[in-house]
Amino acid sequence: MTAAPLLVADRLEKRFALPREHLFGPPHEVQALAGVSFELHAGKSLGVVGESGSGKSTLARIVMALEAPSAGRVVLDGHDLHALAPAELRRARTLMQMVFQDPYGSLDPRRSVLQTVSEPLAVLLGTGRAERRERAAEALDAVGLRSADLDKYPHEFSGGQRQRIAIARALITRPRLIVADEPVSALDVSVQAQVLNLMQDLQDRLGVTYLFISHDLAVVDLVCDEVVVMHQGVIVERGDPRRMFRAPEHPYTRRLLAALPQNPSPVAMLDRGALE
């Protein structure tokens, strides 16, 4: 018997109201998502690729229940997230965490690593101080940092180390799903592969499931089991990234590939074996 998917996006739509052009003019809307559906099984990685404005970041916010869809459902581990009562949604948030694009902007410079990494435990679970420190140390160890780093501040770390701290924060509640929104695009190419390698290693050891948002097909080709390509709020192609990277079917996917630099970054030149 095939296991049920961990995450189901079912016919998601999202419309945003635009300012009226005239005081008594008709309201206008822009449709950011138009019937987006996919499934993601536990322990797997799904890449969502598209240019700016394609709807992929809106999709990430809806999956994380940070925004409500105009229509459709997000089902995580059997729970319809947007139908949950506030207290139930709060408990469900322990199952999902997010890693943001900018490791500099996503960490408060006034808060220590301990405060930053352990914050989800305090906010979502009300965990005591001693246990928060213990679990924060475990999370840092999982991402290759030391427990001695708990009392340091973000300015004492490199960009790659800051993203490791952000990943440790995402791991602290032991989530089943991590939504990673462009997690390496703000990093120097010399450390991008290190962070991708870390994320894949964590998946192998801990069984983490990733929804990986990116504009870079080369990065998705390295780390994802399946990819969907979004254009103007619609999924235009989906499948194995290795097949899609080499033989894209949709004209938009072919344009994305044609836009890749002729001299690829070190990350784009790596193959999957290099990340193992």
Side-chain angles (χ1 to χ4, degrees):
M1 180 181 295
T2 303
L6 174 66
L7 175 69
V8 176
D10 180 23
R11 295 168 292 180
L12 290 176
E13 297 186 10
K14 183 62 179 180
R15 295 179 292 275
F16 292 101
L18 297 176
R20 295 174 185 265
E21 295 181 1
H22 306 286
L23 180 60
F24 299 106
H28 295 283
E29 291 183 330
V30 60
Q31 186 147 13
L33 297 178
V36 171
S37 297
F38 61 83
E39 295 182 352
L40 176 57
H41 286 264
K44 299 296 185 179
S45 297
L46 175 67
V48 181
V49 176
E51 297 173 306
S52 296
S54 63
K56 59 188 189 297
S57 291
T58 298
L59 174 63
R61 291 194 297 270
I62 290 175
V63 167
M64 288 295 298
L66 300 175
E67 290 186 13
S70 303
R73 301 184 306 151
V74 176
V75 180
L76 177 65
D77 200 24
H79 304 287
D80 184 347
L81 293 181
H82 296 279
L84 295 177
E88 294 172 323
L89 179 58
R90 187 185 187 89
R91 287 192 293 270
R93 287 195 183 283
T94 63
L95 301 175
M96 56 185 181
Q97 292 293 317
M98 193 163 185
V99 176
F100 295 93
Q101 175 179 355
D102 184 3
Y104 297 91
S106 64
L107 303 180
D108 188 335
R110 298 164 297 183
R111 296 172 65 85
S112 70
V113 171
L114 172 61
Q115 291 172 309
T116 296
V117 171
S118 65
E119 182 179 23
L121 292 179
V123 172
L124 297 176
L125 298 174
T127 307
R129 183 176 300 178
E131 185 179 350
R132 291 203 303 269
R133 188 175 187 92
E134 179 181 351
R135 288 180 58 173
E138 291 174 357
L140 285 192
D141 180 69
V143 300
L145 297 175
R146 303 171 302 161
S147 59
D149 294 324
L150 285 172
D151 298 312
K152 296 180 180 180
Y153 287 81
H155 72 271
E156 300 179 68
F157 298 91
S158 68
Q161 289 172 322
R162 292 186 193 197
Q163 197 63 304
R164 287 174 181 261
I165 293 168
I167 294 170
R169 176 175 58 189
L171 291 173
I172 194 73
T173 62
R174 299 164 185 163
R176 301 197 63 193
L177 172 71
I178 290 180
V179 177
D181 189 359
E182 301 276 10
V184 298
S185 63
L187 301 176
D188 292 339
V189 294
S190 60
V191 297
Q192 287 183 6
Q194 297 174 23
V195 173
L196 293 173
N197 183 44
L198 167 65
M199 295 180 70
Q200 190 173 64
D201 178 62
L202 292 171
Q203 184 175 58
D204 292 341
R205 289 193 287 119
L206 305 177
V208 180
T209 305
Y210 292 120
L211 183 65
F212 199 102
I213 310 295
S214 180
H215 68 281
D216 190 340
L217 272 170
V219 169
V220 168
D221 180 48
L222 292 172
V223 298
C224 293
D225 302 293
E226 187 179 14
V227 61
V228 297
V229 179
M230 292 190 63
H231 180 50
Q232 296 182 347
V234 176
I235 294 176
V236 296
E237 188 167 355
R238 71 176 72 201
D240 185 312
R242 287 168 289 186
R243 188 277 307 165
M244 194 179 298
F245 195 79
R246 291 158 182 79
E249 297 176 356
H250 195 276
Y252 178 71
T253 310
R254 292 197 288 270
R255 290 206 306 271
L256 286 181
L257 286 169
L260 288 175
Q262 295 300 308
N263 297 312
S265 71
V267 171
M269 290 188 290
L270 290 172
D271 61 22
R272 289 172 177 263
L275 289 178
E276 295 177 352

